[in-house]
Amino acid sequence: MGRENAEKHRNSKKNGKAATSAGGARETAAELARVTLTQDPHAIRDTREKVLEVAIGHEVRAFRKKLGITVADVASATDISVGMLSKIENGNTSPSLTTLQTLSRALGVPITAFFRRFEEEHSAVFVKAGEGVDVERRGTRAGHQYNLLGHIGSNTSGVVVEPYLITLTEDSDVFPTFQHDGLEFLYMLEGEVVYRHGNNLYRMTPGDSLFFDADAPHGPEELTTLPIRYLSIISYPRGRGED
């Protein structure tokens, strides 16, 4: 009888934990529904000239901040009004060449520096199905296949993004202790896995996603239905996060 009671107690704790996790998931979904996005993913810029104005404004602000001076300081040094400088920095007006020359002298940069962002090439990578590059990461030692779906080296964002297609088979081991800089997003494509993040477990099936701080221990805890395939998108500040 003592053994039966102990078993019932263990099952009760397990069910309670599962119910708690489910409740937490519902709360997370409710929180997500309340999020107000600050960036419109469908935003467009009307004209090429508008893009140039924004690019110039971005550079003027960046050079000013690098010097540690205020808009008022620049206005005092150039006789350009604070209102006009604000419009220039926000890309709301097209400054004349004379104005740009004045700003270049005040900020100590060549006038061509204001056009740097506008003239940079913006890269894109297209990978046909099955043509990603197999790469060696820590997970490969546990039999996890990492297929890199694209990589952009130099970019203006200051952020590195690594998209992977990860495949787990009968030769793969559970490995719930990955830790690295940045954020990670998982999107389940095939199979079923119990994925750990910190002290929480998530049973993932096709269509499920998980977005988390990758500094906490994480990884597959239980390989439920094989083969397992999911997208893993890792992002981190440039110069950090390399494993």
Side-chain angles (χ1 to χ4, degrees):
M1 286 295 291
R3 190 175 301 160
E4 280 185 17
N5 289 335
E7 184 65 28
K8 287 179 180 178
H9 181 66
R10 280 195 297 272
N11 289 337
S12 176
K13 286 180 67 178
K14 183 177 180 182
N15 293 336
K17 183 176 180 181
T20 302
S21 297
R26 284 194 294 272
E27 289 175 7
T28 301
E31 290 173 3
L32 186 61
R34 292 195 295 269
V35 170
T36 301
L37 299 180
T38 58
Q39 182 165 287
D40 180 2
H42 302 292
I44 61 172
R45 295 199 173 105
D46 297 331
T47 63
R48 184 170 172 82
E49 287 72 22
K50 179 63 176 175
V51 176
L52 177 57
E53 292 170 6
V54 172
I56 290 173
H58 181 280
E59 296 304 322
V60 171
R61 181 187 290 111
F63 288 128
R64 174 179 63 77
K65 288 187 173 181
K66 187 175 181 180
L67 292 174
I69 59 178
T70 66
V71 173
D73 293 331
V74 178
S76 177
T78 61
D79 289 329
I80 302 172
S81 70
V82 170
M84 176 58 70
L85 286 170
S86 294
K87 287 182 178 180
I88 292 172
E89 288 196 359
N90 291 319
N92 294 326
T93 189
S94 181
S96 68
L97 287 175
T98 301
T99 298
L100 290 177
Q101 185 178 48
T102 302
L103 286 172
S104 73
R105 289 171 179 168
L107 298 173
V109 297
I111 194 170
T112 54
F114 297 135
F115 300 93
R116 181 184 61 186
R117 179 173 291 262
F118 180 73
E119 293 175 342
E120 284 180 341
E121 291 187 6
H122 299 278
S123 302
V125 177
F126 176 66
V127 178
K128 291 287 288 182
E131 292 184 1
V133 179
D134 289 336
V135 297
E136 292 286 333
R137 286 185 64 92
R138 284 193 303 164
T140 58
R141 295 199 295 270
H144 300 185
Q145 179 185 342
Y146 282 77
N147 198 240
L148 183 63
L149 299 179
H151 178 72
I152 295 178
S154 177
N155 66 78
T156 59
S157 69
V159 176
V160 177
V161 178
E162 299 176 355
Y164 295 97
L165 174 61
I166 297 179
T167 303
L168 309 180
T169 65
E170 60 274 4
D171 297 323
S172 304
D173 298 328
V174 295
F175 197 87
T177 55
F178 291 116
Q179 280 183 279
H180 52 84
D181 288 336
L183 303 173
E184 186 165 355
F185 175 77
L186 305 183
Y187 185 82
M188 197 71 178
L189 298 172
E190 182 180 1
E192 182 177 337
V193 64
V194 175
Y195 201 92
R196 174 177 291 278
H197 178 257
N199 295 323
N200 298 313
L201 297 175
Y202 303 90
R203 185 170 297 278
M204 300 184 68
T205 57
D208 293 343
S209 63
L210 185 61
F211 186 41
F212 55 86
D213 182 346
D215 190 51
H218 60 275
E221 177 93 1
E222 176 188 318
L223 310 183
T224 308
T225 304
L226 296 169
I228 294 166
R229 290 194 312 141
Y230 56 88
L231 290 175
S232 168
I233 301 175
I234 302 170
S235 63
Y236 52 86
R238 181 171 301 285
R240 300 176 60 191
E242 290 85 355
D243 298 15

